[in-house]
Structure formats: C-alpha cells, structure tokens
C-alpha cells in the first residue's frame, strides 16, 4: 500500500535511519513484532523492559510507514466526542477510553525519559474550536460530560476565546494536558536504543508474506522463503495489518498536511497550543520545534493513492487558505505538503489484543486520530498479555466488540 506521498516533513527534517538489514536465514525467537513504526517501537520498548527478547521486522526502511507522515499530536480527546462515544458504548467504557488516552500522554513522555532521548516532545494545551452554532451546542454538552468524568477541561465563550487565543470562533474547549512530538524521530530513537543494548534484533526490507500456526506459536514466512519460528507475534503493521486479519475492522481514508517556512516565534499563537475544530472535514494545527506551523485535515473518504496524490496540490492550497482565514496576521508560506492513508473505526477506538481462535497473535492497531496514544496503550496491554497478566483494558479495545467470521 502507498502509505504516503509528497514530502512528509519529518522525512525531510531527520536523517534517514540508514539501516539496510534484510533477514537472510531461518531463525527462532520468543516474540516477533511486525512493523517498525511508532507502534512496533513502543511494543518493543515495553517488551524489552519486561526482559523479553524480540525481533522487529519491517518490509520498508525503518520507521518510514505512516509514522513518517504523522503530525504527531497527543491528545486525550478521541475522534468521536465523549458525548457521542457514551451513546455508542456506554458511559463507563467511554470515560475509561478517554482516561486511558489521558494517561497515555504521560506514558509516552516517560518512555523517552527512560531512554534519555528527546524526540522534540513538548507538553502543550489544546483548543477545540466550535466552528458553528451546532459545534457550540456540541461543545457545551461535551464540556458537561468531560467535567462529570473529571477530565481536564475548560469552556471558553467567544470573548474568553478571543482574549486567550486572539481568534474569532463561537466558543472552545481548552485543556492543558496535550503534547506534540516528532514520532518518526521517536520510533527510530526507541529502536536504536534497544538495538544498541542488544535487546532486539532488527530486520528491514523483509516482507512477511505468509504464516502458519504451529504447536507452540507461529511460523512466519518471508517473501524470500526464510522462516521465523516464534511463540508470539505482534502485528504492528499499521494500516496494512488487514492481511493478517480475517475481517475488515476499519475504513481507510486519505488525509492531507502542510508545513510552513519557519517564522519568528513572536508570530506564533499563545502557548503553541494544538488547535482543531468541530467542523467536518476538520482543520487542525500545531507548531514545530523550529517555529513552523503544521496544518492538516481535508480528509477524503477514499484510499486511492493516485486520486489522493492528484488532489494534493489543491488540498495544500485549501489548508493554507483556511489557516490564513483563522490567523490573517501570521505570515504562513507553505514549504512542504504531503498526503497519507488514515483510518477510522466505527467507535473511534483501536483494536488491541488477540483475535478469537488466534492465540499468541497480538494486534496493536491504533487506528484513528489518536493513533500514537493508542499505540502506547497497545504496547502495555500486549506486554501484560504476553507475560500472563490480566489487563482491564482488553475488553474495551479488543476484537470481541465485533461480530466474528473466523
Ligand atoms: C497525515 C497524518 C497525520 C496524523 N496525525 C496524527 C496525530 O496527530 N496524532 C496521532 O496520534 N496519530 C496521528 N496519525 C496516525 C499515526 O500517524 C498512526 O497511527 C501511526 O503512525 C501508526 O503507526 P504504526 O507503527 O502503527 O504504523 P506504521 O508507521 O505504518 O508502521 C507499520 C509498519 O509495518 C510494516 N509492515 C506492514 N506490513 C508488513 C508485512 N507484511 N511485513 C513486514 N512489514 C510490514 C510497514 O512497512 C510499516 O513500516 C496521523 C497519520 C497521518 C497519515
């Protein structure tokens, strides 16, 4: 699958993790992780801290799947507002999902503290703007639901928002518990750290094209016919994980992003906050460590790489125009633009854990706008499951919420 196109900023900014190491023999190991993006890296980190030796395999250059195209914002708010999620899955589960995401932001930060590497992680606030009257109504309800759930949130009316952020919108929800990072840098930092400590083996440019269930686990077969025997396999294959699943669990979409030239930081908005809005298709924005502005959105409900790529220039212009409408005084000049595959599940939640009748194959599928916070949760749940510990998040994020056809 063509996961992204154009020039994702992190790929231009960072040196390539220049590691060409395809698997050329048969091997055995305890646990194989398929995928070297932020999800595979976080799973590897958790397993290493639990003392489990693992192998990470990727068909691409390390970290260059969707992780390289991500705008890398960490928020506790899921694509589906809490009020709507409550209607879909009940109050207890919906609140729990939101709280798991809140905790996950701190957990991601702690991963990087523990390896003493900083992927430009920055704790910052979020403004969720009401784009229109119905957005304002939604935010009022959302505020009450989040307040009841003890989630960090403030309601800003039009005047308070103007005073706080200097922009005109109907109202906003504000919290100061969000973060941003460079998740490509993050994934490669984590993998490099554990590789250098001999805690993982890392194989790039190695496609897992088939697998068989064995008595004690799995036999994975590479495109070149090499075999890997393992007790456990973790599928951290991002939007391409469908080939390991008997059932479709998400819809694939297309999304677009642009990044500006760096500007003098006097032009940036207050606290370099994350900003997004209630409107569909939504617009969202963040800043970067070198004072650029990154703007994304304009999602389309297709996943056709040719169609997506043909749309890129027009979408980039639309994103820039919308940004300038919100912040007419900021000198925004688009430097790079890119498009990527994205996905959405019916309830906005990820799929984590084993598929029924497939023991020892653990899925870490952090689909949706909170992909990275979901990846952290997946890494912890899978670490617990592999070591035989109970995790009270398994039902909430597991496959049992689907009808199975295996
Ligand atoms: C434009 C854009 C903006 C986004 N913004 C945000 C955001 O602000 N916040 C957020 O949390 N999330 C965001 N996301 C989503 C987030 O980027 C993803 O959830 C995350 O990067 C997925 O990481 P991953 O490791 O699961 O997948 P990937 O990075 O795609 O890694 C999976 C890897 O598996 C490998 N693989 C697949 N199949 C096989 C196979 N058979 N054999 C060997 N290797 C295989 C692939 O080569 C790939 O490298 C955004 C995504 C996009 C595209």
């Amino acid at each position: 699958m063509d996961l992204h196109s154009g020039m994702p900023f992190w790929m231009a900014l960072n040196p390539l993790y220049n590691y060409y190491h395809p698997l050329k023999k048969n091997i055995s190991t305890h646990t194989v992780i398929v995928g070297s993006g932020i999800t595979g890296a976080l799973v590897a980190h958790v397993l290493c801290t639990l003392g489990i030796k693992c192998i990470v395999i990727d068909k691409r250059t390390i970290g260059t799947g969707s992780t390289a195209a991500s705008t890398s914002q960490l928020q506790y708010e899921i694509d589906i507002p809490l009020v709507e999620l409550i209607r879909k899955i009940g109050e207890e589960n919906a609140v729990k999902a939101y709280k798991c995401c809140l905790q996950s932001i701190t957990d991601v930060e702690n991963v990087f503290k523990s390896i003493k590497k900083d992927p430009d992680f920055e704790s910052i606030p979020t403004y969720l703007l009401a784009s229109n009257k119905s957005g304002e109504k939604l935010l009022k309800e959302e505020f009450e639901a989040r307040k009841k759930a003890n989630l960090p949130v403030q309601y800003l009316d039009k005047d308070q928002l103007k005073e706080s952020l200097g922009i005109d919108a109907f109202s906003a929800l504000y919290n100061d518990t969000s973060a941003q990072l460079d998740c490509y840098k993050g994934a490669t930092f984590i993998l490099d750290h554990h590789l250098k400590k001999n805690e993982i083996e890392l194989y790039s440019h190695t496609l897992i094209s088939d697998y068989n269930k064995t008595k004690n686990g799995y036999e994975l077969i590479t495109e070149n016919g090499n075999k890997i025997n393992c007790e456990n396999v973790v599928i951290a294959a991002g939007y391409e994980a469908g080939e390991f699943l008997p059932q479709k669990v998400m819809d694939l979409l297309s999304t677009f992003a642009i990044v500006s030239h760096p500007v003098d930081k006097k032009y940036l908005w207050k606290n370099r906050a994350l900003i997004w809005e209630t409107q569909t298709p939504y617009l969202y924005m963040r800043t970067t460590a070198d004072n650029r502005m990154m703007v994304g959105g304009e999602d389309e409900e297709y996943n056709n790489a040719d169609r997506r790529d043909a749309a890129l220039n027009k979408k980039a212009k639309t994103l820039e125009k919308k940004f300038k409408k919100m912040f007419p005084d900021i000198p925004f000049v688009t430097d790079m633009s890119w498009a990527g595959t994205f996905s959405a599940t019916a309830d906005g939640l990820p799929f984590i854990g084993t598929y029924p009748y497939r023991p020892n194959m653990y899925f870490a599928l952090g689909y949706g706008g909170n992909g990275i916070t979901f990846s952290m949760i997946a890494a912890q749940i899978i670490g617990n499951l592999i070591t035989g510990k109970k995790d009270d998040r398994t039902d909430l994020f597991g496959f049992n919420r689907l009808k199975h056809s295996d």
Side-chain angles (χ1 to χ4, degrees), residues 157-406:
D157 65 22
K158 196 176 173 43
D159 294 339
Q160 290 166 320
L161 174 63
K162 180 85 183 171
E163 160 117 29
S164 177
L165 194 59
I167 61 167
D168 287 312
F170 285 74
S171 62
L173 292 188
Y174 172 89
N175 74 71
D176 59 2
T177 53
S178 309
Q180 61 188 14
L181 76 159
D182 168 348
C183 77
Y184 170 74
K185 206 184 217 180
T188 52
F189 274 169
I190 295 170
L191 292 171
D192 188 59
H193 173 84
H194 293 293
L195 185 66
K196 286 191 174 134
K197 288 179 82 185
N198 280 326
E199 291 170 338
I200 59 167
E201 283 176 53
L202 184 58
Y203 295 99
S204 67
H205 303 92
T206 303
L207 170 76
I208 303 298
S209 55
D210 204 358
Y211 61 89
N212 298 310
K213 181 85 191 80
T214 60
K215 200 163 151 238
N216 298 320
Y218 284 89
E219 176 189 66
L220 305 180
I221 303 159
T222 73
E223 191 181 27
N224 296 332
N226 292 306
K227 291 178 179 160
I228 312 166
N229 269 291
C230 57
E231 270 177 48
N232 304 296
V233 55
V234 180
I235 306 299
Y239 306 132
E240 295 168 318
E243 60 197 81
F244 296 94
L245 277 168
Q247 186 180 3
K248 182 173 171 244
V249 298
M250 80 308 197
D251 290 319
L252 292 175
L253 323 167
S254 295
T255 190
F256 303 85
I258 55 174
V259 70
S260 72
H261 290 172
V263 294
D264 190 313
K265 66 173 183 276
K266 73 178 184 207
Y267 288 113
L268 296 178
W269 55 90
K270 195 175 165 190
N271 295 332
R272 312 164 69 94
L274 305 180
I275 302 174
W276 62 304
E277 58 175 7
T278 55
Q279 195 154 283
T280 312
Y282 61 42
L283 183 76
Y284 62 87
M285 59 196 74
R286 58 163 285 182
T287 58
T288 64
D290 63 343
N291 300 327
R292 295 167 187 262
M293 294 152 282
M294 199 178 268
V295 183
E298 284 297 299
D299 297 8
E300 290 285 355
E301 285 180 5
Y302 54 70
N303 180 42
N304 174 314
D306 291 339
R307 205 171 151 195
R308 181 188 76 196
D309 300 351
L312 178 57
N313 277 347
K314 198 165 162 224
K315 291 288 187 180
K317 285 195 180 105
T318 306
L319 289 170
E320 183 177 313
K321 201 165 140 200
K322 286 188 171 179
F323 176 89
K324 285 180 167 163
K325 192 167 171 222
M326 192 177 289
F327 287 111
D329 297 330
I330 299 182
F332 189 109
V333 180
T334 299
D335 201 356
M336 290 162 222
S337 59
W338 64 100
T341 300
F342 200 57
S343 81
T345 60
D347 56 12
L349 300 182
F351 284 95
I352 301 171
T354 51
Y355 193 86
Y357 314 114
R358 297 221 181 161
N360 304 63
M361 180 178 274
Y362 301 91
F363 288 88
L365 312 180
Y367 297 141
N370 289 60
I372 303 163
T373 47
F374 290 151
S375 303
M376 184 72 252
I377 297 167
Q380 294 162 340
I381 293 179
I382 290 169
N384 283 336
L385 296 180
I386 287 181
T387 50
K389 289 194 205 101
K390 277 210 152 80
D391 191 306
D392 69 3
R393 298 166 290 183
T394 42
D395 286 345
L396 177 59
F397 298 125
F399 287 94
N400 282 333
R401 57 192 216 272
L402 288 170
K403 287 197 171 65
H404 302 291
S405 57
D406 202 8

Side-chain angles (χ1 to χ4, degrees), residues 124-145:
I124 39 162
T126 287
Y127 291 87
L128 167 58
L129 309 179
S131 322
N132 46 33
K133 271 269 161 213
S134 65
E136 186 179 25
K137 185 169 170 282
L138 169 71
L139 290 197
K140 281 185 178 153
E141 285 175 44
E142 183 69 8
F143 172 66
E144 292 304 330

Side-chain angles (χ1 to χ4, degrees), residues 35 37-39 58-60 66-67 70-71 73 208 240 369 371-372:
I38 189 64
T39 312
D58 204 301
K59 63 183 181 183
R60 294 189 169 82
S66 304
T67 294
S70 181
T71 50
Q73 301 162 145
I208 303 298
E240 295 168 318
I372 303 163

Side-chain angles (χ1 to χ4, degrees), residues 36-53:
S36 71
I38 189 64
T39 312
L42 288 170
V43 173
H45 175 77
V46 169
L47 296 189
C48 289
T49 54
L50 292 168
I52 298 170
K53 273 223 154 215

